[in-house]
Amino acid sequence: MKRSADSEGEKRRKRRKLLQELGDQKIPFLGPSDRGFQQLWDSSYSGLVLRKSCSLPAELHGRVQAALLTLRSKGCLLRDLVRVRDRDVFTSVSRALLGEPGHTYRYLDTRLFAIPWHSEDTEVKGQSCCDPDLRAACKALWELNTFLCSDVFQLKEGDRLTQCAKGEVEVKQSEEGDTESKHSEESKNSEGGDSESRQSEEGDTESKHSEEWDIESKHSEEGCSGSKQEGEWETESKHSSEEGESSQVKTSETSVATGSEHSEGKCPGWAPKATSGGEAEPVGPGTQEKPVVQLKHSLSDYHIEDKEQQESGQGCSQPSPPQVCTGPVKFNVTLLNYMDPSAMSQLKEEPYYGMGKMAVGWHHDENLIIHSPVAVYSYTCHDDKGESSEGGSSEKACWRIGLKVAWDIHTPGLMLPLESGDCYYMRDDLNSTHQHCVLAGEAARFSSTHRVAECSTGTLTYIQSRCQEALSNLRTDPETGSHSLLALLPATLQHCEEIHNEVEFEWLRQYWFQGQRYARFCSWWTRPMEQLEKDWKLMETMTMLFLATVEEEGQAEEGRREMAETLLSALTDRHQQRQTWRDRCHSSLAQTLPPEEAPVDRPFWGVDDPSMPLPFDLADIINRVESLLWRM
């Protein structure tokens, strides 16, 4: 559900007040080389588990990494045109969705249509929808998905960092005592820019940098509709930090601290940062400055409000109660991401902790089954041939993930380096109570993010059943082919018109806006979408029959008025949504896409469509219904 303008404005005022109180300070964060890192992980980030690359089967690594390179070479990874605050923006990462046949994943007013896993060979049935190389790549990612499903809960909380075989990993004890706080001098140098950008939250700066908004920066409150929840003050202004300076990752000798019970694998190229004076500063929960501690209390009320909104559930045309993950995990989709930092004109600084350049900003993963885990496989390569960034004398800076407790600027953040081939799991309620970001390394990176998507209203089977619900009220004469409505109850007619709108705006227009781009790689969705178009046209016919019934003079006036009001409401909504989609298809950003990726302004049949039984101009019909109501 979309919040009112008054509520949104109040949220903005609260966020702005908090940012002003925070001022130019940076919130502390800890990395592996910092004392207290393991204690912080165990106490505040216990839902995060890392499986080191060397603990995964080597043959699985080979198949998965080859599959990712195949998808990139075939051009299957594309930037999405998403909707943020009523504006279209491109995602900074290129993406593709793989998953169970007929599944979709929706975020920021964008529905992705999954390329199927191809876990079974359909070639023998003559039903192949893509070439053998792509099919093999999809199957390799299905194998990874199967492994992650069985592995995600195998690691106990004590296994924070799963180690390689004995002798393969050297774990060093930190001998430097107190290490430097992430309130580093370079972070302080960037504070002026960060402060200035925060103050521009309600101005044009926010708009200019909205394209850097993380495309998963919300929990969907509507399931199918994907309206943006702006509950976190962090995500509102995080993309406005372009003036800060880069956090430097040194490539000196690795130094990794160990906790009393758990040991950690090293990350090549990761070392503690030193202050300009050469001395290390103490870090940890006790080193935070007083104003940061005081702000903890001012945030508590907002945290409660945000949780209530998150728990309000998801819905679509027919709201359904939120599902909770129980039993064995079955990831039904994976969202593949690819980003090459060297191809980006600029990356934004992480604005609150000084963690460095962000590839993906602070966010919760959205539209998932409540408390379901998320599993991420990370693969880094630094040339066009896909050679791994591991090893070598001039190692690239590590990619990292940052985590923070949502609505909490008292608990330090956590920063975790990733080697190529590492997996990390976000388990229990970590995704809903915390936020995470992705901090860019120097090399190109793939990630395969496996999820239990909330698909109660997001599968082909679902929308086909909805079509049958609506069309069950349409009778077709077997001899003449003429159509008539079986039931004229306002509630029945309203239900049919709601399904009509859902098919058009949640499926057909979504597909022709961006989903059809993948048809040149995989034709799995082509026939189902053609059938949905046929069903949609029958629903257009039903609307015309509905109109004819409303305009029929012989009807009782009270019943006609109720039907007319029902029809007017559905058509007004449809007319507004069609105009929005028409504007999106012809926007300046959409026009920059190559022809094979450009949005298609359909289905927009109407006056000149010979298959329609009557001229169908929505504006004209709305005027006719309004005039009818005025005369009653």
Side-chain angles (χ1 to χ4, degrees), residues 247-434:
S247 295
Q248 301 297 319
V249 181
K250 298 182 180 180
T251 56
S252 58
E253 184 181 8
T254 302
S255 177
V256 182
T258 58
S260 59
E261 298 180 6
H262 315 302
S263 58
E264 301 153 11
K266 63 183 180 180
C267 174
W270 186 258
K273 292 182 274 188
T275 60
S276 57
E279 295 181 0
E281 297 179 25
V283 297
T287 65
Q288 299 161 51
E289 301 181 27
K290 185 176 181 180
V292 176
V293 177
Q294 293 173 340
L295 279 175
K296 169 74 171 179
H297 304 289
S298 64
L299 282 165
S300 60
D301 292 338
Y302 309 143
H303 191 184
I304 294 171
E305 180 180 352
D306 180 53
K307 286 292 291 180
E308 289 174 349
Q309 289 164 352
Q310 291 177 17
E311 292 168 0
S312 63
Q314 300 175 352
C316 192
S317 296
Q318 296 294 319
S320 57
Q323 299 183 41
V324 178
C325 185
T326 58
V329 173
K330 184 178 181 181
F331 297 119
N332 50 19
V333 296
T334 181
L335 186 60
L336 304 178
N337 304 293
Y338 173 75
M339 184 177 183
D340 184 356
S342 66
M344 299 295 295
S345 59
Q346 63 176 350
L347 292 174
K348 308 307 177 187
E349 287 288 339
E350 191 287 306
Y352 305 109
Y353 301 82
M355 289 183 175
K357 299 287 187 180
M358 295 190 304
V360 179
W362 292 110
H363 67 284
H364 305 274
D365 288 346
E366 63 161 304
N367 206 11
L368 308 180
I369 299 296
I370 295 175
H371 292 176
S372 64
V374 176
V376 181
Y377 178 89
S378 180
Y379 167 48
T380 309
C381 59
H382 60 83
D383 60 22
D384 292 337
K385 296 180 181 179
E387 294 182 4
S388 174
S389 63
E390 296 179 287
S393 57
S394 58
E395 293 167 332
K396 300 282 186 177
C398 287
W399 282 73
R400 293 141 289 149
I401 55 170
L403 293 99
K404 66 182 180 68
V405 180
W407 287 103
D408 185 343
I409 57 175
H410 176 71
T411 304
L414 191 79
M415 188 279 299
L416 185 67
L418 297 172
E419 293 181 354
S420 183
D422 283 351
C423 290
Y424 63 89
Y425 304 141
M426 294 187 291
R427 307 193 306 197
D428 305 323
D429 63 351
L430 184 75
N431 182 57
S432 59
T433 59
H434 294 60

Side-chain angles (χ1 to χ4, degrees), residues 14 23-24 56 61 105 147 210 233 241 289 300 384 446 484 491 599:
K14 291 178 180 178
D24 292 341
L56 271 70
H61 278 304
Y105 183 71
F147 172 84
S210 63
W233 61 270
S241 58
E289 301 181 27
S300 60
D384 292 337
F446 294 91
S484 60

Side-chain angles (χ1 to χ4, degrees), residues 81 512-514 516 584-586 590-591 593 595 597-601:
L81 192 56
W512 285 106
F513 187 70
Q514 287 193 127
Q516 50 82 28
R584 293 189 71 184
C585 287
H586 297 284
Q591 299 307 308
L593 291 167
E597 297 181 26
V600 178
D601 186 13

Side-chain angles (χ1 to χ4, degrees), residues 97-146:
L97 183 72
L98 273 66
E100 296 291 334
H103 277 52
T104 68
Y105 183 71
R106 202 186 194 297
Y107 72 103
L108 292 184
D109 285 346
T110 297
R111 185 179 298 279
L112 302 182
F113 295 78
I115 300 173
W117 296 121
H118 293 292
S119 55
E120 297 179 359
D121 190 358
T122 57
E123 186 73 29
V124 294
K125 300 179 181 179
Q127 299 175 348
S128 178
C129 56
C130 58
D131 67 55
D133 290 340
L134 181 57
R135 189 166 58 252
C138 293
K139 189 171 184 178
L141 288 161
W142 170 75
E143 292 172 354
L144 173 63
N145 190 72
T146 302

Side-chain angles (χ1 to χ4, degrees), residues 422-486:
D422 283 351
C423 290
Y424 63 89
Y425 304 141
M426 294 187 291
R427 307 193 306 197
D428 305 323
D429 63 351
L430 184 75
N431 182 57
S432 59
T433 59
H434 294 60
Q435 289 180 309
H436 58 282
C437 69
V438 181
L439 302 160
E442 295 181 11
R445 174 185 181 255
F446 294 91
S447 66
S448 182
T449 62
H450 299 250
R451 307 145 185 258
V452 187
E454 203 294 293
C455 286
S456 61
T457 60
T459 65
L460 179 61
T461 300
Y462 160 80
I463 198 60
Q464 287 174 335
S465 69
R466 294 279 282 171
C467 288
Q468 292 308 307
E469 286 181 41
L471 297 178
S472 66
N473 195 42
L474 180 67
R475 178 182 179 275
T476 303
D477 189 294
E479 295 183 0
T480 65
S482 61
H483 299 291
S484 60
L485 297 177
L486 293 176

Side-chain angles (χ1 to χ4, degrees), residues 79-282:
R79 295 173 69 195
D80 291 331
L81 192 56
V82 298
R83 197 80 167 163
V84 177
R85 300 190 204 93
D86 298 322
R87 294 188 298 271
D88 283 333
V89 295
F90 281 117
T91 59
S92 57
V93 297
S94 300
R95 291 193 141 111
L97 183 72
L98 273 66
E100 296 291 334
H103 277 52
T104 68
Y105 183 71
R106 202 186 194 297
Y107 72 103
L108 292 184
D109 285 346
T110 297
R111 185 179 298 279
L112 302 182
F113 295 78
I115 300 173
W117 296 121
H118 293 292
S119 55
E120 297 179 359
D121 190 358
T122 57
E123 186 73 29
V124 294
K125 300 179 181 179
Q127 299 175 348
S128 178
C129 56
C130 58
D131 67 55
D133 290 340
L134 181 57
R135 189 166 58 252
C138 293
K139 189 171 184 178
L141 288 161
W142 170 75
E143 292 172 354
L144 173 63
N145 190 72
T146 302
F147 172 84
L148 296 176
C149 286
S150 62
D151 186 66
V152 65
F153 283 123
Q154 292 300 316
L155 301 181
K156 300 178 182 179
E157 288 199 2
D159 301 324
R160 284 289 171 266
L161 289 162
T162 303
Q163 298 184 64
C164 306
K166 183 176 180 181
E168 291 184 2
V169 175
E170 177 184 2
V171 181
K172 297 186 177 182
Q173 294 286 345
S174 176
E175 299 176 351
E176 301 185 15
D178 293 340
T179 57
E180 178 198 6
S181 168
K182 295 309 180 283
H183 282 298
S184 62
E185 181 173 329
E186 60 184 330
S187 294
K188 294 177 182 176
N189 290 339
S190 72
E191 287 173 358
D194 286 334
S195 177
E196 177 181 345
S197 64
R198 289 192 188 103
Q199 294 169 0
S200 68
E201 181 180 3
E202 57 183 343
D204 292 338
T205 305
E206 180 182 67
S207 174
K208 282 192 295 183
H209 303 291
S210 63
E211 69 273 9
E212 297 302 329
W213 180 281
D214 170 48
I215 66 175
E216 295 170 337
S217 61
K218 65 175 181 65
H219 277 292
S220 173
E221 293 184 299
E222 297 184 342
C224 285
S225 67
S227 65
K228 188 178 78 68
Q229 175 174 339
E230 294 180 279
E232 285 73 37
W233 61 270
E234 303 93 320
T235 57
E236 178 65 22
S237 60
K238 68 180 170 48
H239 53 280
S240 301
S241 58
E242 74 285 356
E243 311 235 15
E245 296 191 7
S246 172
S247 295
Q248 301 297 319
V249 181
K250 298 182 180 180
T251 56
S252 58
E253 184 181 8
T254 302
S255 177
V256 182
T258 58
S260 59
E261 298 180 6
H262 315 302
S263 58
E264 301 153 11
K266 63 183 180 180
C267 174
W270 186 258
K273 292 182 274 188
T275 60
S276 57
E279 295 181 0
E281 297 179 25

